[in-house]
Amino acid sequence: MDQQLTFADSEFSNKRRQTRKEKFLGRMDKLIPWARLEAVIEPHYPKAGNGRRPYPLSTMLRIHCMQ
């Protein structure tokens, strides 16, 4: 049986400090127009076919921008 959260647990979960990684990714989401970039790249991105399926475009785009 799952344990029910207490009021103290639910209050504390909202007070958690944001990590540097979460702050960085949040700023990156605000600054970069992901939908527009994906629309430009998508026609040239490999499609699933024979062999291994490619990673999702949004994932690869974010990885390359972080590097």
Side-chain angles (χ1 to χ4, degrees):
M1 179 184 240
D2 294 325
Q3 287 194 341
Q4 186 174 3
L5 286 177
T6 63
F7 286 115
D9 290 337
S10 63
E11 280 293 317
F12 182 71
S13 67
N14 294 335
K15 304 288 184 196
R16 190 176 66 80
R17 207 169 145 234
Q18 200 175 29
T19 63
R20 284 183 5 193
K21 183 170 144 183
E22 290 170 338
K23 287 179 187 176
F24 172 74
L25 292 174
R27 280 191 309 217
M28 205 163 96
D29 280 338
K30 289 179 187 174
L31 291 174
I32 299 175
W34 297 112
R36 287 179 46 203
L37 286 173
E38 288 177 21
V40 171
I41 297 169
E42 198 273 327
H44 307 284
Y45 197 71
K47 307 288 187 265
N50 294 339
R52 224 168 71 190
R53 286 198 325 241
Y55 283 99
L57 172 61
S58 60
T59 302
M60 289 306 292
L61 182 59
R62 289 167 196 262
I63 288 171
H64 284 293
C65 287
M66 282 195 301
Q67 288 180 349

